[in-house]
Amino acid sequence: MPLDNYPFIQSTGISYKSTLLNSWANTVEQNKIIIGWREWLGLPDLDIRAIKAKIDTGARSSALHTFGLEPFEKEGILKVKFGVHPLQKRKDIEIHCVADVVDRRRVTSSDGQSERRYVIRTTVAMGEWRWPIELTLTSRKSMRFRMLLGRAAISNLLLVDPAKSYLSGRRIAKLYPKLKKKKIINGET
């Protein structure tokens, strides 16, 4: 959308084109990666090769959809084991994980519900980039995305383009086997 179409911007005497270009140049100099509002990523420490995440700058913390969450202690260290269905609508793919608990925090979700969640530290992988993040563990089964990547995990590293999706690529989505469709012959499978 060219800025020339907006006379009120031109009338201020400030060159918004050069301001935007300078801002973009500063971003490139700071080595920030531009990503879309949703991306495929991996959590290699948890053996989750691919999971679709919503990048949510309105949420401070990141969240991972889990089931069967069980805290336990081993050699004096609090740990948690849990399961993950990394693909929406694919209960046939289950990944079982174990991680150290770094904290328990009260988190208020976008619908106003407050809950105390376990927090783990892990590595996120997006394209060729890897960095440590903290994840809260919760049930997101009613949500469209199995993972939410909040602003604490992306600040000083990434810029979000809300008009784009999957800028880091979609190849990772194909790491899981396709669901085989059952053939129905005369009402029998």
Side-chain angles (χ1 to χ4, degrees):
M1 167 164 57
L3 293 175
D4 297 333
N5 296 338
Y6 297 94
F8 64 91
I9 290 176
Q10 294 174 350
S11 68
T12 62
I14 299 171
S15 170
Y16 279 87
K17 283 184 186 176
S18 64
T19 303
L20 287 173
L21 287 174
N22 287 338
S23 174
W24 179 81
N26 288 339
T27 299
V28 172
E29 285 177 27
Q30 294 171 6
N31 294 323
K32 288 190 178 180
I33 304 156
I34 298 173
I35 62 169
W37 71 273
R38 58 186 171 176
E39 293 288 344
W40 281 97
L41 25 117
L43 301 169
D45 299 343
L46 301 174
D47 291 326
I48 298 173
R49 298 180 294 166
I51 191 164
K52 188 168 35 171
K54 177 182 179 186
I55 314 304
D56 191 347
T57 58
R60 191 185 74 69
S61 57
S62 299
L64 179 65
H65 168 67
T66 62
F67 64 90
L69 192 70
E70 289 182 39
F72 67 98
E73 205 170 296
K74 184 175 182 183
E75 298 174 9
I77 298 171
L78 182 60
K79 296 178 176 283
V80 65
K81 58 182 170 181
F82 54 93
V84 175
H85 293 294
L87 300 180
Q88 193 80 11
K89 301 177 186 172
R90 292 285 307 269
K91 297 226 185 236
D92 61 309
I93 300 174
E94 282 186 8
I95 299 170
H96 297 277
C97 310
V98 175
D100 291 349
V101 174
V102 296
D103 200 2
R104 277 199 82 191
R105 293 187 194 136
R106 183 151 301 283
V107 177
T108 304
S109 64
S110 60
D111 64 2
Q113 298 283 341
S114 179
E115 83 177 311
R116 205 167 137 104
R117 297 182 187 172
Y118 289 99
V119 181
I120 64 168
R121 201 168 276 133
T122 191
T123 302
V124 68
M126 183 183 301
E128 61 192 55
W129 304 286
R130 307 223 173 336
W131 68 96
I133 64 167
E134 287 187 347
L135 269 177
T136 64
L137 307 177
T138 187
S139 172
R140 293 183 51 82
K141 64 182 171 188
S142 64
M143 304 301 222
R144 209 168 134 209
F145 293 90
R146 294 298 188 194
M147 185 173 162
L148 189 95
L149 196 63
R151 69 178 176 270
I154 64 173
S155 59
N156 300 323
L157 297 169
L158 309 172
L159 287 177
V160 181
D161 183 340
K164 303 285 184 185
S165 296
Y166 310 119
L167 293 179
S168 63
R170 292 182 188 227
R171 285 188 328 267
I172 193 170
K174 297 177 181 172
L175 291 175
Y176 298 111
K178 286 188 175 185
L179 187 61
K180 293 181 181 176
K181 295 183 181 183
K182 296 178 182 179
K183 291 183 182 179
I184 300 175
I185 302 171
N186 297 331
E188 295 181 22
T189 57

